[in-house]
Structures are given as structure tokens and as C-alpha cells.
Amino acid sequence: MCRAVLLLVVFSLSCPAAEALDNGLALTPTMGWLHWERFMCNINCDKDPDNCISEKLYMQMADVMVKEGWKDAGYEYVCIDDCWPSHDRDAKGRLQADPRRFPGGIKKLADYVHSKGLKLGIYGDVGKNTCAGYPGSLGYYEVDAQTFADWGVDLLKFDGCYMNWTLLGEGYVNMSKALNKTGKSILYSCEWPLYEWPYQKPNYTAIRETCNHWRNYADVYDSWSSVKSISDWTASHQDIIVPVAGPGGWNDPDMLVIGNFGLSHDQQESQMALWAIMAAPLLMSNDLRNICPRSKKLLQNKLIIDISQDSLGKQGSLTGKFDSFEIWERPLSEKRLAAAVLNKQEIGGPRGFVIRAIPGWKMCDPKCNVTQILPEYKEMGVQTPKSNIVLSVNPSGTALLTITPLSSDFTEMYKLRWEDLSVKQKHATIL
Ligand code: GLA
């Protein structure tokens, strides 16, 4: 689509820097559930039948996703991660699910998930073994792609363990081709850049042409330090990775860990806001059968999901740092803007932050409409270049806003102008 409009300069400016994998999938960031962070490689179904990696876990998650509003909110993929297969391929060289934990096999599980109106994701590895030591796909790309297609699988997460790094690109490209050859639409989630960064700068043009999303950085853990390190990595590499994201291909900062044990509620709000601004896949890894209502409400917040899934398809970035505040902005369709103000000071109480809509702020000249989505929904109303928008942000929390210009002739996106009140009024922590 981008190619067709290249002559029209105005439209071509909205195209990402490279062509996306042309499989018609992931036109907006993928939404779903993925088992890894919460359930890891728990294969002990005798001792822990409710939490081990077995067909029951995915069937129960699919049931809850339909019953509890997750599907209606947009979460669509139920994804298996590592530790699902048997250690041995079958007589024809095909992967097979562990027969004790998946007695019905993956095809039956896919049928079940499809009967709920959801999609099934599976996991493989470009190398000799998966990271947890199960059989990898090296030497079997076509066989495995066909097996996944025959089972009716809708998404493949393809890891990069046990692979000579110089062959990574070739392997990921060959699996992409093998998936395409099956004729079934299978969303392709890669970890290619993550495994290449230690050696060289990855070729993101090739990655975007090959994968629907790609992990760049380390695995997420259930902790604020992990979420922070991911957003820090993203900010420090944004010049390289932001331009390449767009419909069909996204940077993947890893799973949402909201609803688990390690993040305070403010930190959960920060992860949700940042992942929406970063146009990240929203793949939750938590126990949907038992999740606190506040986390559930946050994960199902329609206004945040609307930012994540915005049709303009541009990834946002870090646009300002003031004292320990970070400002992240994402351009949205209809010339709107999403802005997140993150308070990274992990001591004290709520801190004031003022957005001054000074005359340089073209979005609000002559006026704009501002809505606060986090920490709570608040119509902030019509603002003008004379306005001061006052926010209060908790330690490691985030204020999330959308700004809609009300000027008919507003054509360009201008960065906001911010002023950190607490820098000016050193001791005024609460407004
Ligand atoms: C790697 C990946 C994780 C997960 C595990 C499974 O560490 O990055 O997301 O898939 O392997 O072993």
C-alpha cells in the first residue's frame, strides 16, 4: 500500500521506513495472552495440575477470555510458549505435543480455541533446541511450518536459542518463507534482533519484511526494574527502532506482567501506558482465572487500548526528560496525540507537573481538547495557548492524556511544551 502512494509526498510520509511482511496480519499490535512470564516451564502436572503447561491451561484461559470480557476488549490470541512438545519428533520427523500434558494434541486444542472465536499461538525455535531444551526447528523449517498449519495454528513465536548467530537472519527468513508456503495466515513473532544485538546492529528493514513483530531486548520479569530497563532500552534505541514500526510489523518489548505480584498499581498503569505509546503487542502473561479487579479494569481500559490500536500505526517515543519525569508521546489518527508523563522518582508522594500550552504549542492554538485517561478518567476540557494543565503523578506512576486539536487548519504535529513544577517549587510535592 505504501508503495502505491510513494509519489504523493504527503501520504508517503506516513509510511514506515520499510515494507512490512505481506501476510495481511498484525495491522495493529497483536493482542492476547502468552504463558511464559507467569507459568514458565512448569511441567509438573502431578503436583501442580492447575498451573502446569497442559492443554487444560489454554482451554481454561480461552474460556475466561470469552466469559470475562477479554475477547470483547480485543484480546484474541491464546499463546503457548516453550515446553509444550515431546522431546522426540514422531516417525515422520514432525514435532508432537507432550502426550501426557496434551492428550488431545494441538489440533484439537486449536479447534477448541477457534470454537470460542479466539486464535491459537504456538512456540518454536530457529536453532537446534528451544531455550528450555526442547526440539528446535533447525533443519525442519518446512516440516514444522506445515505441521503448525495442519494443526490450524494462527501465530508462531520463534525463539533464537541454540543458533549460530551468523545464520540467524537466514533462519528467520527461511521460516517466514516456509510459513508463507503453507498458504495459511500465520502471524510470525520473532526474536531475531534480540539475539543479533550482542554481535552487530540488526538489519531492521529485513526484519520488518520477515516478521510481524520482533523482540529487541531481554525477557520481561515481574518487577518494576525489569519494566524500567525495557523502556530505557527502547528510549535509548528509539532513533533506530521507532521509524521501522507500523501496520504489519511492530517492536515487541515483551509481555504485560500486569495482574501478577511484582508491580504496584501505579507501576502497572505505567506499563500499560508505555506499551500503548510504544505501539507494542499487548500480550498479557498472568492468570486470568484469578486476577485482581483493578488490574483487570486497567488491562481492559478501552481508551488505552484505543491508543494501542490506533489506525495511524505510528510508534511513540520519549520526547522529554525533566528532573525525574519522562514525557512520552505518540501521534494518533485525526491529528490527535497521546502523551504519557511518567514520574520516575521512587521516593516521596505525588508530584505536580504542569503542561503549559504556550503559543508555540500549535496543537492547542487556538484550542484543543484534553482528556486524562490515567490515573483516572477526567475531561480536562478545552484548552488554549494560555492554559496551564496541572497533573499529579504518583511515584513510578504515569499520567496518560489524549489531546485533540480543535483548529480546522492544524496540519502539523508539534511537540508539547512542559514545565516541571517541582523543579521550580522544590518542596511542593503535592499540588
Ligand atoms: C526465551 C524467550 C522467552 C521465552 C523463553 C522460553 O528466553 O525470550 O520469551 O520464550 O525463552 O524458554
Side-chain angles (χ1 to χ4, degrees):
M1 208 244 254
C2 288
R3 210 177 265 150
V5 294
L6 268 181
L7 288 176
L8 299 171
V9 177
V10 172
F11 291 145
S12 71
L13 286 175
S14 66
C15 294
E19 293 286 323
L21 170 60
D22 186 19
N23 62 2
L25 298 171
L27 298 180
T28 61
T30 307
M31 291 178 68
W33 178 91
L34 174 61
H35 95 234
W36 185 255
E37 193 288 320
R38 177 64 187 253
F39 296 95
M40 300 186 73
C41 195
N42 178 354
I43 54 171
N44 195 341
C45 293
D46 294 331
K47 275 217 175 113
D48 197 4
D50 292 334
N51 300 302
C52 68
I53 305 312
S54 73
E55 60 186 27
K56 196 173 99 179
L57 183 69
Y58 307 97
M59 289 163 86
Q60 289 183 346
M61 261 354 126
D63 292 347
V64 177
M65 279 171 78
V66 174
K67 267 201 213 122
E68 301 283 332
W70 300 100
K71 179 175 169 241
D72 290 342
Y75 294 95
E76 190 182 13
Y77 288 85
V78 182
C79 301
I80 305 171
D81 207 287
D82 206 344
C83 306
W84 65 270
S86 159
H87 277 288
D88 301 306
R89 289 176 175 269
D90 73 7
K92 290 188 174 154
R94 292 173 303 196
L95 288 170
Q96 48 189 347
D98 180 282
R100 285 194 63 214
R101 294 181 284 118
F102 294 83
I106 303 294
K107 169 132 191 27
K108 229 172 141 202
L109 179 58
D111 290 346
Y112 183 83
V113 169
H114 294 155
S115 75
K116 300 269 160 186
L118 296 168
K119 295 188 164 142
L120 184 72
I122 207 160
Y123 167 97
D125 191 289
V126 72
K128 201 168 160 302
N129 290 106
T130 72
C131 299
Y134 289 82
S137 294
L138 187 61
Y140 294 89
Y141 296 147
E142 296 214 352
V143 181
D144 291 354
Q146 193 56 52
T147 306
F148 298 144
D150 292 344
W151 286 342
V153 162
D154 305 287
L155 176 152
L156 172 64
K157 170 175 172 176
F158 214 40
D159 213 331
C161 277
Y162 298 102
M163 182 66 165
N164 176 334
W165 77 269
T166 60
L167 302 174
L168 265 178
E170 196 182 309
Y172 274 102
V173 168
N174 286 339
M175 189 52 158
S176 189
K177 286 184 184 155
L179 290 171
N180 188 44
K181 210 173 138 197
T182 68
K184 177 166 180 1
S185 293
I186 300 180
L187 200 154
Y188 188 35
S189 160
C190 302
E191 300 203 31
W192 171 1
L194 163 62
Y195 289 92
E196 194 162 326
W197 268 114
Y199 305 100
Q200 65 184 24
K201 183 179 157 196
N203 176 349
Y204 279 97
T205 306
I207 291 168
R208 180 168 169 80
E209 283 165 1
T210 305
C211 310
N212 291 117
H213 32 88
W214 46 86
R215 284 272 310 282
N216 294 305
Y217 184 68
D219 293 2
V220 71
Y221 276 54
D222 188 11
S223 74
W224 179 234
S225 64
S226 166
V227 171
K228 260 190 316 185
S229 73
I230 292 172
S231 76
D232 287 347
W233 188 92
T234 304
S236 61
H237 293 79
Q238 61 188 16
D239 293 349
I240 300 168
I241 65 169
V242 169
V244 92
W250 310 98
N251 291 294
D252 177 5
D254 211 3
M255 293 157 267
L256 292 168
V257 294
I258 296 165
N260 292 321
F261 311 97
L263 301 186
S264 71
H265 192 75
D266 287 289
Q267 292 162 352
Q268 296 183 38
E269 292 187 348
S270 293
Q271 193 190 23
M272 192 70 186
L274 286 170
W275 263 233
I277 294 274
M278 293 192 289
L282 300 181
L283 291 167
M284 307 175 284
S285 194
N286 48 19
D287 190 347
L288 297 174
R289 300 164 302 184
N290 177 21
I291 185 166
C292 114
R294 236 180 136 196
S295 301
K296 179 178 171 192
K297 204 166 153 216
L298 173 63
L299 285 160
Q300 294 192 359
N301 185 311
K302 185 173 174 334
L303 296 174
I304 309 177
I305 292 173
D306 284 349
I307 294 174
S308 149
Q309 302 290 301
D310 183 76
S311 59
L312 185 62
K314 275 189 181 287
Q315 178 171 344
S317 52
L318 177 74
T319 55
K321 276 188 178 190
F322 303 88
D323 189 54
S324 51
F325 282 108
E326 282 186 5
I327 318 305
W328 292 71
E329 296 176 40
R330 175 174 175 184
L332 302 175
S333 54
E334 292 159 13
K335 294 170 187 161
R336 292 167 307 130
L337 184 77
V341 179
L342 170 63
N343 175 9
K344 288 183 102 177
Q345 181 169 288
E346 293 169 37
I347 188 169
R351 296 172 73 212
F353 191 92
V354 177
I355 306 168
R356 286 178 63 218
I358 60 172
W361 189 11
K362 292 279 197 310
M363 281 196 85
C364 293
D365 192 359
K367 25 185 200 174
C368 64
N369 199 50
V370 177
T371 303
Q372 180 180 287
I373 299 173
L374 288 174
E376 74 223 355
Y377 182 81
K378 210 192 281 177
E379 289 288 356
M380 293 188 141
V382 174
Q383 308 291 334
T384 72
K386 292 209 168 80
S387 304
N388 277 343
I389 299 168
V390 181
L391 307 173
S392 170
V393 196
N394 289 349
S396 57
T398 294
L400 180 65
L401 310 172
T402 51
I403 297 143
T404 308
L406 298 173
S407 346
S408 54
D409 60 348
F410 173 70
T411 50
E412 259 185 279
M413 202 60 75
Y414 281 79
K415 283 197 183 138
L416 302 181
R417 303 293 177 97
W418 308 90
E419 187 170 333
D420 177 1
L421 195 80
S422 64
V423 170
K424 250 171 67 181
Q425 305 173 1
K426 271 218 155 71
H427 302 290
T429 50
I430 303 179
L431 284 172

